[in-house]
Amino acid sequence: MQEKQAEQLYQQLIASYLDSPHRKKTDIIQKAYNFACRAHEGVSRPNGEPYIIHPIEVALIASREMGLGSTSICAALLHDIIENTDYTVEDIENIFGAKIAQIVDGLTKISGGIFGDKASEQAENFKKLLLTMSDDIRVILVKICDRLQNMRTLDNLPDGKKTKVAGETLYLYAPLANRLGLNKIKTELEDLAFRYEHPDSYENIRKKLAHTQEQRDELFRQFTTPIREALDSMGCKYVIKMRVKSPYSIWNKMRNKHVSFDEIYDILAVRIIFNPPTPEEEVNECFRIYVAITKLYKSHPDRLRDWLSHPKANGYQALHVTLMSNQGRWIEAQIRSQRMDEIAEQGFAAHWKYKEGTDEPNNEGELNDWLCTIKEILDDPQPDAMDFLDSIKLNLFASEIFVFSPKGEIVTLPSGATALDFAFYIHTFLGSHCIGAKVNHKLVPLSHVLQGGDQVEIITSNSQHVQSEWLSFVTTAKARNKIQTQLRRADRDTQSKGLDILREWLKSNDLNITTTIINTLCQAHGMEKQEHLLLDIGNGTITLSEKDLDHILGMAKKSKKGNWRRFVPFLKSKKKDEENDNFLIVQDGFDKDRACVITEENISKYVFSHDCCHPIPGDDVIGYIDSNDRIELHHRSCQVANRLRNTFAHRILAVRWNMHNEEMLFDAVIVIKGIDRKGITRDVALVIADQMDINIHKLSISSDKGIFEGRIEIRVHDREELTGIIDALKKVPDLTTVIREY
């Protein structure tokens, strides 16, 4: 039965490949399939199905959903063999050739997740991923297929591992898919991760989308009927599709804009996908359609987006215009050719379809520029693992602007980039000696934020050098990397000077330099690291004196007393034990894959993170094993939780509530906004105190120009009670926003 399932999937794979424009090299795919079947024979996945199902489904995603060719399909079928069997890279190369072996080797190097138990491992794994990606883009494309298949079958994993894989997907793989133009896959990765990270929020939005589907269908029909008539009269060959915003995108907008589901007005968009009479008329046809539909509906003057002449860095091309419908709703229309639409969904993989069916990738244009930027960063990565990851993510997530050099050349930068970012983009020397810039012929400082369409000229001086404060306003990974590299080089020179000064000072006092003496001086000056001490000595911030000599001599006397060395660690451990007396301590043998269950009896054993969020029973929370091996509770939406989940995934625990005690109260904060009027405060207080019978702990309200904002601190039993209060407040006249503060 299971062998039949594998064979059926394989036949789907072959059918998908034969439907593609690639050269029909089915023999090597059959060979890879047979080899993978033998290699994984007798092995099962956690859900009990044969392991071979996984590589076939990964290969099917590569072929059907990404449009890749035989080389990538073979690599997908073989991608787990080196890690899970006794076969080597040399075996793969001897049987299938160097190219397939190279991709399989690259996939093996980045297996096991990006986030290991140590920060250095995280950076190293991520570096391997980027290096292999820059060698052959198909490595990361197949890896994304692998991740998508894993996310589709995530139910088979324990809760703790679900959280880790989902967090890693949102942190890295979804942004990578977006940067490579894989819009459809990016959206599915985000929604799947969202479903496992925030199951309640996901289900709530899914139900609301289903409930409002009929309204959207009718709005779409009424809006597109006149457009169809106009395009038919023009003789266009087209289809019109409805695009509905994904649950993750809706949730993100609700969080970032502090609005409710009902206040999001761009859930519906319309895509007009046409076939031009000839490839040369593609852009002209776009604008013909644009003119036709703007005669039917008024367009929003600030929401025209032209990505035809200057495609996005991931290859996306389209013309976006926002129109006012007859129902009084703004609706975005996206105008694309069939070629543009395929590239929008499949990204750079779709480019190959238009390269006469070749199986070889063509890393040209913007993609090649981006890969070159990654290589530059890898030449000198940050010593701090998370700084390194974050600097790369700046490039992954950022939306783009187009600016011009003095000669009119186009430069693509992330939104929010400064004049200094532009300087480093052009050349490291230009950035290092930049003292200012002329933007549109006006003098501006280095920190000036550029806007799309600006023309930028950099002004330099040989006397200028890199400054540490520049790090506070550059946004591109390249600029940040180059600045930190030069600062570290300067610091090393200063530290070397400090070491020479320290050595001479000790020599003048008949002492030799030792690690103990340096540590003693660090302690005396409140320094954690020797490098900081030497840096301050070298730049003159610290001047060595008789007082420092007394510290060194005093430490030498203490060290002769034998017992003090053992006593200090004992005091530290005793203090730590006293701090942890009332808390649950994670020890060896603790099952991190099993969810922690919080009850009335054990709730006091957990640390509640009141500084960043106020988790209450019923909330979607995670546990974090802190440096004292205690378990902190954070709301999943909390910014600190996001940082911890991305940085210390191995310390994150799944948590669920089992609370029934109605006497316990928990802090919660509600933020309200609305139109100011007489009695609004009274109405709010009446709802909370009288209608809901809740005591207001603290209430603060401010008003400006007829608009008021308020913050209400209350104590509730659980999330259900808090939701009831928020729902009741939403019925108060003139209250426009009622949300919980995390």
Side-chain angles (χ1 to χ4, degrees):
M1 181 66 181
Q2 292 178 333
E3 291 178 0
K4 186 177 179 182
Q5 181 188 0
E7 185 61 31
Q8 287 174 344
L9 278 173
Y10 176 68
Q11 292 306 321
Q12 291 178 34
L13 171 63
I14 291 298
S16 170
Y17 175 65
L18 291 175
D19 278 345
S20 74
H22 293 286
R23 294 193 296 262
K24 305 302 182 266
K25 298 194 289 187
T26 54
D27 289 348
I28 194 166
I29 296 177
Q30 180 72 52
K31 186 178 179 182
Y33 170 66
N34 293 337
F35 186 83
C37 284
R38 289 195 302 272
H40 295 301
E41 188 175 5
V43 182
S44 299
R45 300 199 82 196
N47 62 354
E49 70 181 17
Y51 195 92
I52 188 62
I53 298 292
H54 168 67
I56 298 173
E57 288 184 340
V58 173
L60 193 55
I61 292 170
S63 175
R64 181 188 290 168
E65 301 181 47
M66 208 177 275
L68 300 178
S70 60
T71 302
S72 302
I73 291 171
C74 289
L77 289 168
L78 304 169
H79 77 275
D80 277 337
I81 283 180
I82 296 174
E83 184 181 9
N84 295 342
T85 73
D86 293 331
Y87 289 103
T88 64
V89 178
E90 289 72 21
D91 294 330
I92 302 293
E93 183 173 353
N94 291 335
I95 300 170
F96 297 98
K99 182 53 66 176
I100 291 175
Q102 180 187 357
I103 297 173
V104 172
D105 186 36
L107 289 162
T108 303
K109 287 176 180 174
I110 55 175
S111 63
I114 300 306
F115 304 113
D117 286 351
K118 299 178 181 178
S120 59
E121 291 176 7
Q122 297 170 13
E124 192 57 36
N125 281 332
F126 191 48
K127 182 178 177 182
K128 287 176 184 175
L129 183 150
L130 295 172
L131 281 170
T132 52
M133 180 173 69
S134 58
D135 287 338
D136 191 324
I137 195 69
R138 287 174 292 191
V139 174
I140 193 58
L141 292 176
V142 176
K143 184 62 181 176
I144 289 172
C145 296
D146 179 39
R147 177 49 57 112
L148 179 58
Q149 201 281 334
N150 284 331
M151 290 300 296
R152 287 174 176 173
T153 56
L154 204 57
D155 275 330
N156 302 321
L157 296 180
D159 288 342
K161 288 186 178 178
K162 285 180 188 175
T163 300
K164 178 182 182 297
V165 174
E168 190 177 274
T169 299
L170 274 182
Y171 184 77
L172 177 63
Y173 286 100
L176 269 174
N178 180 57
R179 198 63 173 79
L180 296 170
L182 305 167
N183 181 65
K184 190 175 180 181
I185 289 176
K186 181 267 297 187
T187 301
E188 185 176 354
L189 285 173
E190 288 177 340
D191 282 344
L192 286 169
F194 175 43
R195 173 187 161 197
Y196 289 104
E197 288 238 292
H198 305 276
D200 294 339
S201 298
Y202 173 84
E203 189 61 23
N204 185 38
I205 292 174
R206 189 194 64 78
K207 287 179 179 178
K208 287 181 177 178
L209 283 173
H211 180 70
T212 55
Q213 181 65 50
E214 196 172 312
Q215 300 171 18
R216 282 194 302 277
D217 290 343
E218 181 59 22
L219 178 60
F220 176 76
R221 186 191 65 78
Q222 293 179 9
F223 181 74
T224 57
T225 297
I227 294 176
R228 293 179 193 277
E229 293 172 356
L231 297 184
D232 287 341
S233 67
M234 293 165 55
C236 288
K237 295 180 180 179
Y238 68 93
V239 293
I240 299 180
K241 296 180 180 179
M242 180 195 301
R243 185 233 66 180
V244 179
K245 209 173 188 69
S246 70
Y248 177 75
S249 295
I250 293 171
W251 178 74
N252 243 350
K253 193 159 191 176
M254 289 169 64
R255 281 200 316 163
N256 296 335
K257 301 289 186 182
H258 300 295
V259 295
S260 66
F261 179 89
D262 297 328
E263 294 174 280
I264 296 179
Y265 297 110
D266 61 345
I267 290 178
L268 170 68
V270 170
R271 284 179 181 154
I272 303 170
I273 304 166
F274 65 90
N275 283 321
T278 64
E280 292 76 20
E281 295 183 58
E282 190 178 49
V283 173
N284 288 339
E285 190 75 354
C286 254
F287 281 103
R288 280 183 67 219
I289 294 172
Y290 165 74
V291 170
I293 63 177
T294 52
K295 287 179 180 178
L296 299 171
Y297 300 109
K298 293 290 184 183
S299 62
H300 195 297
D302 298 326
R303 295 189 189 173
L304 175 65
R305 300 289 183 267
D306 177 8
W307 285 299
L308 297 176
S309 306
H310 307 301
K312 288 186 177 182
N314 60 16
Y316 181 83
Q317 281 184 288
L319 191 62
H320 290 196
V321 57
T322 302
L323 305 168
M324 175 58 73
S325 69
N326 295 332
Q327 293 73 36
R329 296 283 297 270
W330 287 110
I331 297 177
E332 184 180 73
Q334 303 169 354
I335 308 169
R336 312 172 176 172
S337 68
Q338 181 67 38
R339 180 191 67 84
M340 295 174 190
D341 186 63
E342 290 188 15
I343 291 173
E345 296 303 312
Q346 293 187 335
F348 280 95
H351 280 289
W352 306 338
K353 175 179 178 178
Y354 298 93
K355 299 288 183 183
E356 300 178 353
T358 177
D359 263 359
E360 290 303 312
N362 194 305
N363 297 341
E364 295 179 337
E366 298 290 351
L367 174 63
N368 199 44
D369 291 343
W370 184 60
L371 293 176
C372 287
T373 299
I374 286 175
K375 284 182 177 179
E376 285 185 3
I377 295 170
L378 291 170
D379 285 341
D380 189 11
Q382 308 303 320
D384 182 273
M386 289 316 297
D387 283 350
F388 173 61
L389 292 174
D390 289 342
S391 68
I392 292 288
K393 271 175 60 62
L394 285 172
N395 275 20
L396 292 182
F397 273 125
S399 55
E400 298 151 353
I401 59 170
F402 299 103
V403 297
F404 297 90
S405 72
K407 295 181 179 179
E409 297 165 338
I410 295 175
V411 173
T412 304
L413 292 171
S415 179
T418 62
L420 189 58
D421 286 306
F422 176 88
F424 274 105
Y425 179 89
I426 300 299
H427 198 278
T428 301
F429 180 86
L430 207 61
S432 302
H433 297 281
C434 179
I435 59 172
K438 286 184 179 179
V439 175
N440 304 325
H441 309 293
K442 293 181 180 179
L443 193 63
V444 298
L446 301 178
S447 57
H448 177 81
V449 178
L450 301 175
Q451 305 297 322
D454 283 347
Q455 188 172 33
V456 188
E457 179 184 352
I458 298 301
I459 303 170
T460 62
S461 169
N462 287 334
S463 62
Q464 176 70 295
H465 298 287
V466 167
Q467 308 293 320
S468 58
E469 54 266 27
W470 289 4
L471 291 170
S472 64
F473 57 78
V474 292
T475 62
T476 59
K478 180 176 181 179
R480 182 175 296 275
N481 175 259
K482 294 301 180 185
I483 292 168
Q484 289 180 327
T485 298
Q486 293 191 41
L487 287 174
R488 289 200 303 275
R489 189 177 299 127
D491 284 351
R492 284 196 293 270
D493 293 341
T494 306
Q495 287 169 13
S496 178
K497 179 181 176 183
L499 185 61
D500 290 340
I501 293 171
L502 175 60
R503 186 177 284 113
E504 286 299 317
W505 180 78
L506 289 171
K507 186 178 179 181
S508 67
N509 288 285
D510 297 324
L511 293 169
N512 293 321
I513 192 166
T514 65
T515 302
T516 303
I517 286 178
I518 295 179
N519 288 337
T520 301
L521 291 173
C522 284
Q523 186 178 0
H525 289 278
M527 302 280 185
E528 289 187 3
K529 295 184 177 180
Q530 296 181 6
E531 293 86 350
H532 298 163
L533 175 74
L534 297 177
L535 190 64
D536 281 358
I537 294 174
N539 61 30
T541 304
I542 291 177
T543 302
L544 298 169
S545 63
E546 289 293 325
K547 189 176 180 181
D548 294 302
L549 189 60
D550 291 341
H551 277 293
I552 294 170
L553 296 176
M555 187 63 69
K557 290 177 182 178
K558 281 184 179 180
S559 65
K560 295 176 182 178
K561 294 185 178 180
N563 289 335
W564 81 279
R565 285 183 179 272
R566 293 194 297 272
F567 186 62
V568 173
F570 170 75
L571 284 179
K572 287 182 179 178
S573 62
K574 183 178 180 182
K575 182 179 179 182
K576 180 177 177 180
D577 289 341
E578 288 172 354
E579 288 176 352
N580 292 335
D581 268 351
N582 297 322
F583 294 108
L584 173 66
I585 303 300
V586 175
Q587 299 175 337
D588 291 342
F590 186 90
D591 188 355
K592 296 181 182 179
D593 291 335
R594 181 180 296 177
C596 299
V597 181
I598 303 177
T599 65
E600 292 86 352
E601 290 74 24
N602 68 15
I603 191 169
S604 61
K605 298 286 185 181
Y606 294 87
V607 181
F608 278 73
S609 54
H610 292 292
D611 291 338
C612 55
C613 60
H614 299 266
I616 61 177
D619 273 346
D620 191 6
V621 297
I622 62 168
Y624 164 68
I625 303 172
D626 69 12
S627 57
N628 291 325
D629 296 326
R630 304 174 305 182
I631 300 176
E632 288 181 12
L633 300 182
H634 290 268
H635 198 286
R636 280 187 189 271
S637 299
C638 158
Q639 289 185 348
V640 173
N642 287 334
R643 176 73 177 178
L644 293 173
R645 197 161 57 244
N646 296 332
T647 312
F648 303 107
H650 59 288
R651 296 189 192 176
I652 300 300
L653 307 173
V655 175
R656 60 184 178 88
W657 300 92
N658 186 20
M659 299 279 294
H660 306 289
N661 191 327
E662 296 183 359
E663 295 181 4
M664 288 186 175
L665 292 172
F666 300 84
D667 293 330
V669 178
I670 298 174
V671 175
I672 57 175
K673 296 180 184 179
I675 301 168
D676 198 9
R677 62 169 171 82
K678 187 176 180 180
I680 189 77
T681 306
R682 179 199 61 204
D683 292 348
V684 169
L686 283 174
V687 167
I688 298 175
D690 291 1
Q691 182 179 332
M692 305 302 298
D693 194 26
I694 297 293
N695 184 44
I696 298 176
H697 185 59
K698 185 177 180 181
L699 171 64
S700 57
I701 290 182
S702 61
S703 177
D704 182 35
K705 298 178 182 179
I707 304 296
F708 82 91
E709 295 186 10
R711 192 173 182 275
I712 309 166
E713 296 181 19
I714 56 177
R715 286 173 180 160
V716 296
H717 296 98
D718 52 32
R719 187 183 62 171
E720 185 178 351
E721 185 173 46
L722 180 61
T723 302
I725 297 168
I726 290 173
D727 290 342
L729 285 173
K730 287 180 177 178
K731 297 175 183 177
V732 175
D734 299 320
L735 269 188
T736 58
T737 302
V738 184
I739 58 172
R740 178 184 173 188
E741 179 182 276
Y742 292 112

